[in-house]
Coordinates of all heavy atoms in Angstrom, one line a residue:
T30 N -2.6 11.0 -27.6 CA -4.0 11.2 -28.0 C -4.8 10.2 -27.2 O -4.3 9.2 -26.5 CB -4.1 10.7 -29.5 OG1 -3.5 9.5 -29.6 CG2 -3.4 11.7 -30.4
A31 N -6.1 10.5 -27.0 CA -6.9 9.8 -26.1 C -6.7 8.3 -26.3 O -6.8 7.6 -25.4 CB -8.4 10.2 -26.2
D32 N -6.8 7.8 -27.6 CA -6.7 6.4 -27.8 C -5.5 5.7 -27.7 O -5.4 4.5 -27.6 CB -7.6 6.1 -29.1 CG -6.7 6.7 -30.2 OD1 -6.1 7.8 -30.0 OD2 -6.9 6.2 -31.4
R33 N -4.4 6.5 -27.8 CA -3.0 5.8 -27.7 C -2.1 6.2 -26.5 O -1.0 5.8 -26.5 CB -2.2 6.0 -29.0 CG -2.5 5.1 -30.2 CD -2.8 3.7 -29.7 NE -1.8 2.9 -29.1 CZ -2.0 1.7 -28.6 NH1 -3.3 1.2 -28.7 NH2 -1.1 1.1 -28.2
S34 N -2.8 6.9 -25.6 CA -1.9 7.3 -24.4 C -1.7 6.1 -23.5 O -2.4 5.1 -23.5 CB -2.6 8.4 -23.6 OG -3.7 8.0 -23.0
R35 N -0.6 6.2 -22.8 CA -0.3 5.1 -21.9 C -1.3 5.0 -20.7 O -1.7 6.0 -20.2 CB 1.2 5.5 -21.3 CG 1.7 4.3 -20.6 CD 3.2 4.6 -20.3 NE 3.9 3.8 -21.3 CZ 5.2 3.6 -21.1 NH1 5.8 3.9 -20.0 NH2 5.9 2.8 -22.0
I36 N -1.6 3.9 -20.3 CA -2.6 3.6 -19.3 C -1.9 2.9 -18.2 O -1.2 1.8 -18.3 CB -3.8 2.8 -19.7 CG1 -4.4 3.4 -21.0 CG2 -4.9 2.5 -18.7 CD1 -5.4 2.5 -21.7
Y37 N -2.0 3.6 -17.0 CA -1.2 3.0 -15.8 C -2.3 2.2 -14.9 O -3.2 2.8 -14.5 CB -0.5 4.1 -15.0 CG 0.5 4.8 -15.7 CD1 0.4 5.9 -16.4 CD2 1.8 4.1 -15.7 CE1 1.4 6.5 -17.1 CE2 2.9 4.7 -16.4 CZ 2.7 5.9 -17.1 OH 3.7 6.4 -17.8
M38 N -2.0 0.9 -14.9 CA -2.8 0.1 -14.0 C -1.9 -0.5 -12.9 O -1.9 -1.6 -12.5 CB -3.4 -1.1 -14.8 CG -4.5 -0.7 -15.7 SD -5.9 -0.2 -14.7 CE -6.7 1.0 -15.9
D39 N -1.0 0.4 -12.4 CA 0.0 -0.1 -11.5 C 0.0 0.7 -10.2 O 1.1 0.9 -9.6 CB 1.5 -0.1 -12.1 CG 1.8 1.4 -12.6 OD1 1.0 2.3 -12.5 OD2 3.1 1.5 -12.9
A40 N -1.1 1.1 -9.8 CA -1.1 1.9 -8.5 C -0.8 1.0 -7.3 O -0.4 1.5 -6.2 CB -2.6 2.5 -8.3
N41 N -0.8 -0.3 -7.4 CA -0.4 -1.2 -6.4 C 1.1 -1.3 -6.2 O 1.6 -1.8 -5.3 CB -1.0 -2.6 -6.7 CG -0.5 -3.1 -8.1 OD1 -0.7 -2.5 -9.1 ND2 0.2 -4.2 -8.0
S42 N 1.8 -0.6 -7.3 CA 3.3 -0.7 -7.3 C 3.7 0.8 -7.0 O 4.5 0.9 -6.1 CB 3.7 -1.2 -8.7 OG 5.1 -1.3 -8.7
I43 N 3.2 1.7 -7.8 CA 3.7 3.1 -7.6 C 2.6 4.0 -8.2 O 2.1 3.9 -9.3 CB 5.0 3.3 -8.2 CG1 5.4 4.8 -7.8 CG2 5.0 3.2 -9.7 CD1 7.0 4.9 -7.9
G44 N 2.1 4.9 -7.3 CA 1.0 5.8 -7.6 C 1.5 6.9 -8.5 O 2.8 7.1 -8.7
A45 N 0.6 7.7 -9.0 CA 0.9 8.8 -9.9 C 1.6 10.0 -9.2 O 1.2 10.2 -8.0 CB -0.4 9.3 -10.6
P46 N 2.4 10.7 -9.9 CA 3.0 11.9 -9.2 C 2.0 13.1 -9.2 O 1.3 13.3 -10.2 CB 4.2 12.3 -10.1 CG 4.2 11.3 -11.2 CD 3.0 10.5 -11.2
P47 N 1.9 13.8 -8.1 CA 1.1 15.0 -8.0 C 1.7 16.0 -9.1 O 3.0 16.1 -9.3 CB 1.3 15.6 -6.6 CG 1.7 14.3 -5.8 CD 2.5 13.5 -6.7
R48 N 0.9 16.8 -9.7 CA 1.3 17.6 -10.8 C 2.3 18.7 -10.4 O 3.2 19.2 -11.1 CB 0.0 18.3 -11.4 CG 0.1 18.8 -12.8 CD -1.2 19.4 -13.3 NE -2.1 18.4 -13.8 CZ -1.9 17.9 -15.1 NH1 -0.9 18.2 -15.8 NH2 -2.7 16.9 -15.6
D49 N 2.1 19.1 -9.2 CA 2.9 20.2 -8.6 C 4.2 19.7 -7.7 O 4.8 20.5 -7.0 CB 2.1 21.1 -7.8 CG 1.4 20.5 -6.6 OD1 1.6 19.3 -6.3 OD2 0.8 21.2 -5.7
V50 N 4.5 18.5 -7.9 CA 5.5 17.9 -7.0 C 6.9 18.6 -7.3 O 7.6 19.0 -6.5 CB 5.7 16.3 -7.3 CG1 6.2 16.0 -8.7 CG2 6.6 15.8 -6.2
L51 N 7.1 19.1 -8.5 CA 8.4 19.8 -8.9 C 8.4 21.2 -8.2 O 9.4 21.6 -7.7 CB 8.6 19.9 -10.3 CG 9.2 18.7 -11.1 CD1 9.2 19.0 -12.6 CD2 10.5 18.4 -10.6
E52 N 7.3 21.7 -8.0 CA 7.2 23.1 -7.3 C 7.5 22.8 -5.9 O 8.2 23.6 -5.2 CB 5.8 23.7 -7.4 CG 5.6 24.4 -8.8 CD 4.2 24.6 -9.1 OE1 3.4 24.9 -8.3 OE2 3.8 24.2 -10.2
H53 N 6.9 21.8 -5.3 CA 7.2 21.4 -3.9 C 8.8 21.2 -3.7 O 9.4 21.7 -2.7 CB 6.5 20.2 -3.4 CG 5.1 20.5 -3.1 ND1 4.7 20.5 -1.8 CD2 4.0 20.6 -3.9 CE1 3.3 20.8 -1.8 NE2 2.9 20.8 -3.0
L54 N 9.3 20.4 -4.7 CA 10.8 20.1 -4.6 C 11.6 21.3 -4.7 O 12.5 21.6 -4.0 CB 11.0 19.1 -5.7 CG 12.3 18.2 -5.6 CD1 12.3 17.5 -4.2 CD2 12.3 17.2 -6.6
R55 N 11.3 22.2 -5.7 CA 12.1 23.4 -5.9 C 12.0 24.3 -4.7 O 13.0 24.9 -4.3 CB 11.5 24.1 -7.3 CG 12.3 25.3 -7.7 CD 11.7 26.1 -8.7 NE 11.3 25.2 -9.9 CZ 12.1 24.8 -10.8 NH1 13.4 25.1 -10.8 NH2 11.6 24.0 -11.8
H56 N 10.7 24.4 -4.2 CA 10.6 25.3 -3.0 C 11.5 24.8 -1.9 O 12.2 25.6 -1.2 CB 9.1 25.3 -2.6 CG 8.7 26.3 -1.5 ND1 8.7 27.6 -1.8 CD2 8.5 26.1 -0.2 CE1 8.4 28.3 -0.6 NE2 8.4 27.3 0.3
T57 N 11.4 23.5 -1.6 CA 12.2 22.9 -0.5 C 13.7 23.2 -0.7 O 14.4 23.6 0.1 CB 11.9 21.5 -0.3 OG1 10.6 21.2 -0.1 CG2 12.8 20.8 0.8
V58 N 14.1 22.9 -2.0 CA 15.6 23.0 -2.1 C 16.0 24.5 -2.2 O 16.9 24.9 -1.5 CB 16.0 22.5 -3.6 CG1 17.4 22.7 -3.9 CG2 15.7 20.9 -3.5
E59 N 15.2 25.4 -2.9 CA 15.7 26.8 -2.9 C 15.5 27.6 -1.7 O 16.3 28.2 -1.2 CB 15.0 27.5 -4.1 CG 15.5 27.0 -5.4 CD 14.8 27.7 -6.6 OE1 13.8 28.5 -6.5 OE2 15.2 27.4 -7.8
E60 N 14.2 27.5 -1.1 CA 13.9 28.3 0.0 C 14.3 27.8 1.4 O 14.9 28.4 2.2 CB 12.4 28.6 0.1 CG 11.7 29.1 -1.2 CD 12.2 30.6 -1.4 OE1 12.4 31.3 -0.4 OE2 12.4 30.9 -2.7
H61 N 14.0 26.4 1.5 CA 14.3 25.9 2.8 C 15.8 25.4 2.9 O 16.5 25.8 3.8 CB 13.4 24.7 3.1 CG 12.0 25.0 3.1 ND1 10.9 24.2 2.9 CD2 11.3 26.2 3.2 CE1 9.7 24.8 2.9 NE2 10.1 26.1 3.1
W62 N 16.2 24.5 1.9 CA 17.6 24.0 2.1 C 18.5 25.2 1.7 O 19.5 25.5 2.3 CB 17.8 22.9 1.2 CG 19.1 22.2 1.2 CD1 20.1 22.4 2.0 CD2 19.6 21.1 0.3 NE1 21.2 21.7 1.7 CE2 20.8 20.8 0.5 CE3 19.0 20.6 -0.9 CZ2 21.6 20.0 -0.1 CZ3 19.8 19.6 -1.6 CH2 21.0 19.3 -1.2
G63 N 18.2 25.9 0.6 CA 19.1 26.9 0.1 C 19.2 28.1 0.9 O 20.4 28.7 1.2
L64 N 18.1 28.7 1.3 CA 18.2 30.0 2.1 C 18.0 29.9 3.6 O 18.9 30.2 4.3 CB 16.9 30.8 1.6 CG 17.2 31.6 0.3 CD1 15.9 32.3 -0.1 CD2 18.4 32.5 0.3
A65 N 17.0 29.2 4.1 CA 16.8 29.1 5.5 C 17.8 28.2 6.1 O 18.1 28.2 7.3 CB 15.3 28.7 5.8
R66 N 18.2 27.2 5.3 CA 19.2 26.2 5.8 C 18.8 25.5 7.1 O 17.8 25.0 7.2 CB 20.5 26.8 5.8 CG 21.8 26.0 5.7 CD 22.1 25.4 4.3 NE 22.2 26.4 3.3 CZ 23.5 26.8 2.9 NH1 24.7 26.2 3.5 NH2 23.7 27.6 1.9
R67 N 19.7 25.6 8.1 CA 19.4 24.7 9.3 C 18.1 25.2 10.0 O 17.6 24.4 10.7 CB 20.7 24.8 10.3 CG 20.8 26.2 11.0 CD 21.9 25.9 12.2 NE 21.5 24.9 13.0 CZ 20.6 24.9 14.0 NH1 19.9 26.0 14.1 NH2 20.3 23.8 14.8
R68 N 17.8 26.5 9.8 CA 16.6 26.9 10.5 C 15.3 26.2 10.0 O 14.3 26.2 10.6 CB 16.4 28.5 10.3 CG 17.5 29.2 11.0 CD 17.3 30.7 11.1 NE 16.2 31.0 11.9 CZ 16.1 31.0 13.1 NH1 17.3 30.8 13.9 NH2 15.1 31.4 13.9
S69 N 15.4 25.4 8.8 CA 14.3 24.8 8.2 C 13.9 23.6 9.2 O 12.8 23.1 9.1 CB 14.6 24.4 6.9 OG 14.6 25.4 6.0
W70 N 14.7 23.1 10.0 CA 14.4 22.0 10.8 C 13.1 22.3 11.6 O 12.2 21.6 11.8 CB 15.5 21.6 11.8 CG 16.7 20.9 11.1 CD1 17.8 21.4 10.9 CD2 16.7 19.6 10.4 NE1 18.7 20.6 10.1 CE2 17.8 19.4 9.9 CE3 15.7 18.6 10.3 CZ2 18.3 18.3 9.0 CZ3 16.0 17.4 9.5 CH2 17.3 17.3 9.0
G71 N 13.2 23.6 12.1 CA 12.0 24.1 12.8 C 11.0 24.8 12.0 O 9.8 24.5 11.8
E72 N 11.5 26.0 11.2 CA 10.7 26.9 10.6 C 9.9 26.3 9.4 O 8.7 26.5 9.1 CB 11.5 28.1 10.0 CG 11.9 29.0 11.1 CD 12.9 30.1 10.6 OE1 13.2 30.1 9.4 OE2 13.5 30.8 11.4
A73 N 10.5 25.3 8.7 CA 9.8 24.6 7.6 C 9.2 23.3 8.0 O 8.6 22.7 7.2 CB 10.8 24.4 6.4
G74 N 9.3 23.1 9.2 CA 8.5 21.8 9.8 C 9.2 20.6 9.5 O 8.5 19.5 9.5
W75 N 10.5 20.6 9.1 CA 11.1 19.4 8.8 C 11.0 18.3 9.9 O 10.8 17.1 9.6 CB 12.6 19.5 8.4 CG 12.8 20.2 7.2 CD1 12.0 20.4 6.1 CD2 14.1 20.6 6.6 NE1 12.5 21.1 5.1 CE2 13.8 21.2 5.4 CE3 15.5 20.6 7.0 CZ2 14.9 21.8 4.4 CZ3 16.5 21.1 6.2 CH2 16.2 21.7 5.0
L76 N 11.3 18.7 11.1 CA 11.3 17.7 12.2 C 9.8 17.2 12.5 O 9.6 16.1 13.0 CB 11.9 18.3 13.5 CG 13.5 18.4 13.5 CD1 14.0 19.0 14.7 CD2 14.0 17.0 13.3
E77 N 8.8 18.1 12.4 CA 7.5 17.7 12.6 C 6.8 16.9 11.5 O 5.7 16.3 11.6 CB 6.6 19.0 12.9 CG 6.7 19.5 14.3 CD 6.4 18.5 15.4 OE1 5.3 17.9 15.3 OE2 7.2 18.2 16.2
A78 N 7.5 16.9 10.2 CA 6.7 16.4 9.2 C 6.3 14.8 9.3 O 5.3 14.5 8.9 CB 7.7 16.5 7.9
A79 N 7.1 14.2 10.2 CA 6.7 12.8 10.5 C 5.4 12.7 11.1 O 4.6 11.8 10.7 CB 7.8 12.1 11.3
S80 N 5.0 13.7 11.9 CA 3.8 13.6 12.5 C 2.6 14.4 11.7 O 1.5 13.8 11.6 CB 3.8 14.3 13.9 OG 4.7 13.8 14.7
T81 N 2.9 15.5 11.0 CA 2.0 16.1 10.2 C 1.5 15.2 9.0 O 0.3 15.1 8.8 CB 2.4 17.5 9.7 OG1 3.7 17.3 9.2 CG2 2.5 18.5 10.8
L82 N 2.5 14.6 8.5 CA 2.1 13.6 7.4 C 1.3 12.4 8.0 O 0.3 12.0 7.4 CB 3.4 13.1 6.6 CG 4.0 14.1 5.8 CD1 5.5 13.6 5.3 CD2 3.2 14.6 4.6
G83 N 1.7 12.0 9.1 CA 1.1 10.9 9.8 C -0.3 11.2 10.1 O -1.3 10.4 9.9
D84 N -0.6 12.4 10.6 CA -2.0 12.8 10.9 C -2.9 12.8 9.6 O -4.0 12.6 9.6 CB -2.0 14.2 11.5 CG -1.6 14.2 13.1 OD1 -1.4 13.0 13.6 OD2 -1.4 15.2 13.6
G85 N -2.2 13.3 8.5 CA -3.0 13.3 7.2 C -3.4 11.8 6.9 O -4.5 11.6 6.3
I86 N -2.5 10.9 7.1 CA -2.7 9.5 6.7 C -3.8 8.9 7.7 O -4.6 8.1 7.3 CB -1.4 8.7 6.8 CG1 -0.5 9.2 5.5 CG2 -1.7 7.2 6.7 CD1 0.9 8.6 5.5
A87 N -3.7 9.4 9.0 CA -4.7 8.8 10.0 C -6.1 9.0 9.5 O -6.9 8.1 9.7 CB -4.4 9.6 11.3
R88 N -6.4 10.1 8.8 CA -7.7 10.3 8.3 C -8.2 9.2 7.4 O -9.4 8.9 7.2 CB -7.8 11.7 7.8 CG -9.2 12.3 7.5 CD -9.0 13.7 7.0 NE -8.6 13.8 5.6 CZ -9.4 13.5 4.5 NH1 -10.7 13.5 4.8 NH2 -8.9 13.6 3.3
I89 N -7.2 8.7 6.6 CA -7.5 7.9 5.5 C -7.7 6.4 6.1 O -8.3 5.5 5.5 CB -6.4 7.8 4.4 CG1 -6.2 9.3 3.9 CG2 -6.6 6.9 3.3 CD1 -4.9 9.6 3.2
V90 N -7.0 6.1 7.1 CA -7.0 4.6 7.6 C -7.7 4.5 9.0 O -7.4 3.5 9.7 CB -5.6 4.0 7.6 CG1 -5.0 4.0 6.2 CG2 -4.6 4.8 8.6
G91 N -8.4 5.5 9.4 CA -9.2 5.4 10.7 C -8.3 5.3 11.9 O -8.6 4.6 12.8
A92 N -7.3 6.2 12.0 CA -6.5 6.3 13.2 C -6.7 7.7 13.7 O -7.3 8.7 13.1 CB -5.0 6.1 12.9
A93 N -6.2 8.0 15.0 CA -6.4 9.2 15.6 C -5.0 10.1 15.5 O -4.0 9.5 15.1 CB -6.7 9.1 17.1
S94 N -5.2 11.3 15.6 CA -4.0 12.2 15.5 C -2.9 11.7 16.6 O -3.2 11.4 17.7 CB -4.4 13.7 15.9 OG -3.3 14.4 16.0
G95 N -1.6 11.6 16.1 CA -0.6 11.2 17.1 C -0.3 9.8 17.0 O 0.6 9.2 17.5
E96 N -1.2 9.0 16.3 CA -1.0 7.5 16.3 C -0.1 7.0 15.1 O 0.1 5.8 15.0 CB -2.3 6.8 16.3 CG -3.1 6.8 17.6 CD -4.4 6.0 17.5 OE1 -5.2 6.2 16.6 OE2 -4.8 5.3 18.5
I97 N 0.1 8.0 14.2 CA 1.0 7.6 13.0 C 2.0 8.4 12.8 O 1.9 9.7 12.9 CB 0.0 7.5 11.7 CG1 -1.1 6.4 11.9 CG2 0.7 7.3 10.5 CD1 -1.9 6.2 10.6
V98 N 3.3 7.9 12.5 CA 4.4 8.8 12.0 C 4.8 8.1 10.5 O 4.6 6.9 10.4 CB 5.6 8.7 12.9 CG1 5.2 9.5 14.1 CG2 6.0 7.3 13.3
V99 N 5.4 9.1 9.9 CA 6.0 8.7 8.6 C 7.5 8.5 8.8 O 8.2 9.5 9.1 CB 5.6 9.6 7.5 CG1 6.4 9.4 6.2 CG2 4.1 9.4 7.2
A100 N 8.2 7.4 8.5 CA 9.7 7.3 8.7 C 10.0 5.9 8.2 O 9.2 4.9 8.3 CB 10.0 7.4 10.1
D101 N 11.3 5.7 7.9 CA 11.9 4.5 7.5 C 11.1 3.7 6.4 O 10.2 4.2 5.8 CB 11.9 3.7 8.8 CG 12.8 4.4 9.9 OD1 13.7 5.1 9.5 OD2 12.5 4.3 11.1
S102 N 11.5 2.5 6.3 CA 10.8 1.7 5.2 C 9.7 0.8 5.9 O 9.8 0.7 7.2 CB 11.8 0.8 4.5 OG 12.3 -0.3 5.4
T103 N 8.9 0.1 5.2 CA 7.9 -0.7 5.7 C 8.6 -1.9 6.5 O 8.1 -2.2 7.6 CB 7.0 -1.2 4.5 OG1 6.6 -0.2 3.8 CG2 5.8 -2.1 5.1
T104 N 9.6 -2.4 6.0 CA 10.3 -3.6 6.6 C 10.8 -3.2 8.0 O 10.6 -3.9 9.0 CB 11.4 -4.1 5.8 OG1 11.0 -4.3 4.5 CG2 12.0 -5.4 6.3
I105 N 11.4 -1.9 8.1 CA 12.0 -1.5 9.3 C 10.9 -1.3 10.4 O 11.0 -1.6 11.5 CB 12.9 -0.3 9.1 CG1 14.1 -0.7 8.4 CG2 13.3 0.4 10.3 CD1 15.0 0.4 7.8
N106 N 9.8 -0.7 9.8 CA 8.7 -0.4 10.7 C 8.1 -1.8 11.1 O 7.6 -1.9 12.4 CB 7.7 0.4 10.0 CG 8.1 1.8 10.0 OD1 8.9 2.3 10.8 ND2 7.7 2.6 9.0
L107 N 8.0 -2.7 10.3 CA 7.5 -4.1 10.7 C 8.3 -4.6 11.9 O 7.8 -5.1 12.8 CB 7.5 -5.1 9.5 CG 6.4 -5.1 8.5 CD1 6.9 -5.7 7.3 CD2 5.3 -5.7 9.1
F108 N 9.6 -4.5 11.7 CA 10.5 -5.0 12.6 C 10.3 -4.3 14.0 O 10.3 -5.0 15.0 CB 12.0 -4.9 12.2 CG 13.0 -5.5 13.0 CD1 13.2 -6.9 13.1 CD2 13.9 -4.7 13.9 CE1 14.1 -7.5 13.9 CE2 14.7 -5.3 14.7 CZ 14.9 -6.7 14.7
K109 N 10.2 -3.0 14.0 CA 10.0 -2.3 15.3 C 8.6 -2.7 15.9 O 8.6 -3.0 17.1 CB 9.9 -0.8 15.0 CG 11.3 -0.3 14.6 CD 11.3 1.3 14.5 CE 10.6 1.8 13.2 NZ 10.8 3.2 12.9
A110 N 7.6 -2.8 15.1 CA 6.3 -3.2 15.6 C 6.3 -4.6 16.2 O 5.7 -4.8 17.3 CB 5.2 -3.1 14.5
I111 N 7.0 -5.5 15.5 CA 7.0 -6.9 15.9 C 7.8 -7.0 17.3 O 7.3 -7.7 18.3 CB 7.6 -7.8 14.9 CG1 6.6 -7.9 13.7 CG2 7.8 -9.3 15.4 CD1 7.3 -8.5 12.4
V112 N 9.0 -6.4 17.3 CA 9.7 -6.4 18.6 C 8.9 -5.7 19.6 O 8.9 -6.2 20.8 CB 11.1 -5.5 18.4 CG1 11.8 -5.4 19.7 CG2 11.9 -6.3 17.5
G113 N 8.1 -4.6 19.4 CA 7.4 -3.9 20.3 C 6.3 -4.9 20.9 O 6.0 -4.9 22.1
G114 N 5.7 -5.6 20.0 CA 4.7 -6.5 20.5 C 5.2 -7.7 21.3 O 4.6 -8.0 22.3
L115 N 6.4 -8.1 21.0 CA 6.9 -9.3 21.8 C 7.3 -8.7 23.1 O 7.2 -9.5 24.0 CB 8.2 -9.8 21.0 CG 7.9 -10.6 19.7 CD1 9.1 -11.1 19.1 CD2 6.8 -11.6 19.8
H116 N 7.8 -7.5 23.2 CA 8.2 -6.8 24.5 C 7.0 -6.7 25.3 O 7.1 -6.9 26.6 CB 8.7 -5.5 24.3 CG 10.2 -5.4 24.1 ND1 11.0 -5.9 25.0 CD2 11.0 -4.8 23.3 CE1 12.3 -5.6 24.7 NE2 12.3 -5.0 23.5
L117 N 5.8 -6.5 24.7 CA 4.6 -6.2 25.5 C 4.0 -7.6 26.2 O 3.4 -7.5 27.2 CB 3.5 -5.6 24.7 CG 3.6 -4.1 24.5 CD1 2.6 -3.6 23.5 CD2 3.6 -3.2 25.8
L118 N 4.3 -8.7 25.5 CA 3.8 -9.9 26.0 C 4.9 -10.9 26.2 O 5.1 -11.9 25.4 CB 2.8 -10.5 25.0 CG 1.5 -9.6 24.9 CD1 0.7 -10.1 23.7 CD2 0.7 -9.7 26.2
P119 N 5.8 -10.7 27.2 CA 7.1 -11.4 27.2 C 7.0 -12.9 27.5 O 7.8 -13.7 27.3 CB 7.8 -10.8 28.3 CG 6.9 -10.0 29.1 CD 5.8 -9.7 28.3
Q120 N 5.8 -13.3 28.1 CA 5.6 -14.8 28.5 C 5.1 -15.6 27.4 O 5.1 -16.8 27.5 CB 4.6 -14.9 29.6 CG 4.9 -13.9 30.9 CD 6.3 -14.2 31.4 OE1 6.8 -15.3 31.3 NE2 6.9 -13.2 32.0

Side-chain angles (χ1 to χ4, degrees):
T30 55
D32 57 334
R33 275 326 293 175
S34 65
R35 184 169 264 200
I36 304 169
Y37 292 97
M38 288 292 155
D39 62 348
N41 57 305
S42 187
I43 186 156
R48 204 176 271 284
D49 61 357
V50 69
L51 278 176
E52 281 155 47
H53 281 260
L54 200 51
R55 188 187 307 280
H56 187 71
T57 301
V58 172
E59 287 181 357
E60 303 295 322
H61 299 160
W62 183 12
L64 282 178
R66 200 74 60 94
R67 73 168 305 284
R68 298 190 62 79
S69 292
W70 292 110
E72 286 171 7
W75 285 355
L76 285 177
E77 276 307 306
S80 299
T81 45
L82 291 169
D84 284 353
I86 293 171
R88 198 178 73 85
I89 302 167
V90 296
S94 174
E96 287 183 317
I97 294 186
V98 286
V99 167
D101 302 324
S102 72
T103 309
T104 312
I105 291 171
N106 287 335
L107 274 163
F108 185 74
K109 289 185 285 193
I111 294 167
V112 169
L115 295 182
H116 267 308
L117 283 172
L118 295 169
Q120 307 305 332

